[in-house]
Amino acid sequence: MIKPLIIANWKCNPTGIKQAKALFNSVKNGVKGIKRRKVIICPPFIYLPMLKGLSLGAQNCFWEKEGAYTGEISCPMLKSLCQYVLVGHSERRKYFNEKDEINNKLKAVLDAKLIPVLCVGETQEQRNQDKTEAVLKEQIISALDSISSSRFSSVIIAYEPVWAIGTGNPCDVEEAQKMKLLIQKIISKIYSSNISFKTPVLYGGSVKSNNAEGYVKEAGFNGLLVGGASLDAREFIEIVKQAV
Ligand code: PGA
């Protein structure tokens, strides 16, 4: 059994180093006694070198290793600072029009021997139009284009319905479970059922301490990707407790 992975996505928060350290240390102390869990904090890039004692991830990366790309952060740069990288988060897709580059980013993360967390999910409009399955298929197939099964073996997938992110309107557990099975079916078609079975699939989208348990214990997700609630140490620690 894979240990549940509980990932905190701090997004563009908090605005100061002092608050970042305080939040991190509260979480670190609060989860100390909780066994059988893996907590990963994804803060803004600049806080990565300052935070020690829990696993860390980046929220994004650039696909080239180096060069004249103003403002970008490459995977070799991240290598000594963190272990995980979120790729294709819906906010990157929405505000930065990320689509085709997601495959390049995923490859760059794997090249650097970092662990990618590939985020996929449909919008409300796509769901209303009955396009959820097609959207998930397209997002997964395009992101994994020309990635061999042996390279894929370290990839983590996060199902994050866009309509559930930051809305306080989480996907219900039964529906989320269906989407997990669908994602596994897509992965098994690309690779094999054995590989699909071993791929960790996380749920994200308005996770709180009062709904965390269902995704892991009922729907069988291998962990959670938590946005808003991860900025409140007490609430996040409670989520970790509920999920293990
Ligand atoms: P949320 O965000 O928990 O605030 O809905 C989840 C995410 O964007 O990863």
Side-chain angles (χ1 to χ4, degrees), residues 6-14 23 39-45 57-60 85-92 117 119 158 160 165-166 204-205 224-232 236:
I6 319 296
I7 306 183
N9 175 11
W10 287 3
K11 309 191 180 185
C12 191
N13 300 291
L23 173 59
V39 174
I40 300 155
I41 309 288
C42 300
F45 288 129
Q59 298 171 15
N60 181 31
V85 184
L86 304 184
V87 179
H89 188 277
S90 74
E91 285 148 17
R92 302 292 317 170
V117 180
C119 305
E160 295 209 296
I165 296 179
L224 303 164
L225 180 48
V226 186
S230 72
L231 297 172
D232 176 339
F236 184 68

Side-chain angles (χ1 to χ4, degrees), residues 20-35:
K21 282 188 176 166
L23 173 59
F24 185 85
N25 289 330
S26 304
V27 171
K28 186 168 77 175
N29 292 331
V31 300
K32 235 177 222 158
I34 312 171
K35 303 221 162 62

